[in-house]
Amino acid sequence: DTAVSQTPKYLVTQMGNDKSIKCEQNLGHDTMYWYKQDSKKFLKIMFSYNNKELIINETVPNRFSPKSPDKAHLNLHINSLELGDSAVYFCASSLTLAGGLSETQYFGPGTRLLVL
Amino acid sequence: AQKITQTQPGMFVQEKEAVTLDCTYDTSDPSYGLFWYKQPSSGEMIFLIYQGSYDQQNATEGRYSLNFQKARKSANLVISASQLGDSAMYFCAMRGANSGYALNFGKGTSLLVTP
């Protein structure tokens, strides 16, 4: 059983389109995250949700909108895609938000987005 | 604010040798967690090892150990008896209140294990 899954794995689209990436975790975790890994492999937090509530919203363009329909799902919708949005997007989850600093974050396989 | 620094963009090590990947950090959090993740060429992020800021002993997980020197603010990863499958990107990360409990990553070190 895959613990954290993302769909699609690859996404190739034209500039200006709107796309969504879906994430699901079956670990029973309360907290979910979106990270972006750029072309230089640098990973940066975008959003975090705890029990469907938005906790972190980093300086991300408002074209990016996360949605958490329930604790097990955190989707990322991107409007008006730009060339600079090309990256790998990782979803992750942890048991709680601040219950213990040792809590491991489990990552999904990543979604490779290419904007043409 | 938090900052993680990995100063080695790339490292080479021969199979069966040990290698140390450097990580230094800066934070105003009184307590924090330090993590190492491995990212092979296939792209997934694999958790390797954790060290808490108040842990008295250095963490170990199989061939991985963390050389934690709190006063120096360093958390170096030591891989013993390197294997070809250890070739990957390695990321040091920190978690604490100042990061909203998300992981704050360094830029990574690319490790190549040679036969």
Side-chain angles (χ1 to χ4, degrees):
Chain A
D1 277 350
T2 304
V4 183
S5 59
Q6 293 179 230
T7 53
K9 192 166 182 183
Y10 298 96
L11 189 50
V12 181
T13 188
Q14 299 285 335
M15 243 174 28
N17 284 350
D18 303 338
K19 290 293 178 186
S20 290
I21 305 172
K22 295 187 176 181
C23 178
E24 176 181 2
Q25 54 96 1
N26 62 7
L27 298 166
H29 287 172
D30 284 349
T31 310
M32 297 183 74
Y33 311 81
W34 278 110
Y35 290 88
K36 178 181 179 180
Q37 185 173 42
D38 64 23
S39 58
K40 294 183 179 177
K41 300 284 190 181
F42 184 57
L43 277 148
K44 190 172 164 59
I45 183 70
M46 299 174 71
F47 303 102
S48 73
Y49 269 75
N50 189 53
N51 275 320
K52 303 195 298 174
E53 180 188 348
L54 180 65
I55 302 298
I56 293 175
N57 183 355
E58 286 295 306
T59 49
V60 174
N62 58 13
R63 297 181 295 102
F64 289 78
S65 53
K67 283 191 172 51
S68 182
D70 55 59
K71 233 171 55 164
H73 295 84
L74 179 61
N75 303 324
L76 183 65
H77 188 75
I78 316 170
N79 287 328
S80 304
L81 278 155
E82 299 178 358
L83 295 176
D85 298 332
S86 296
V88 181
Y89 293 85
F90 284 99
C91 176
S93 74
S94 63
L95 184 60
T96 64
L97 178 64
L101 289 170
S102 64
E103 284 178 16
T104 302
Q105 288 188 18
Y106 295 91
F107 282 74
T111 295
R112 284 140 190 86
L113 172 65
L114 178 60
V115 182
L116 302 173
Chain B
Q2 294 180 346
K3 187 175 180 183
I4 299 283
T5 304
Q6 294 180 254
T7 56
Q8 306 152 312
M11 292 277 288
F12 289 90
V13 66
Q14 207 157 15
E15 212 177 354
K16 299 178 187 173
E17 297 291 312
V19 63
T20 298
L21 306 184
D22 293 342
C23 174
T24 58
Y25 61 90
D26 196 12
T27 183
S28 54
D29 281 322
S31 61
Y32 47 88
L34 293 156
F35 298 78
W36 278 90
Y37 280 82
K38 172 184 178 181
Q39 187 177 39
S41 57
S42 50
E44 69 268 33
M45 294 290 291
I46 302 167
F47 165 72
L48 294 178
I49 196 166
Y50 163 81
Q51 178 81 45
S53 58
Y54 284 106
D55 292 344
Q56 295 295 316
Q57 293 195 325
N58 287 342
T60 59
E61 288 285 350
R63 294 186 298 110
Y64 304 108
S65 60
L66 204 151
N67 183 0
F68 179 48
Q69 298 188 47
K70 194 171 181 179
R72 291 187 172 186
K73 295 187 177 181
S74 74
N76 299 339
L77 176 71
V78 180
I79 306 174
S80 62
S82 297
Q83 301 172 356
L84 295 178
D86 294 333
S87 294
M89 281 289 288
Y90 288 81
F91 292 96
C92 180
M94 169 183 279
R95 184 171 186 246
N98 270 339
S99 67
Y101 301 101
L103 289 169
N104 188 9
F105 286 90
K107 292 187 176 181
T109 295
S110 176
L111 176 67
L112 182 62
V113 181
T114 59

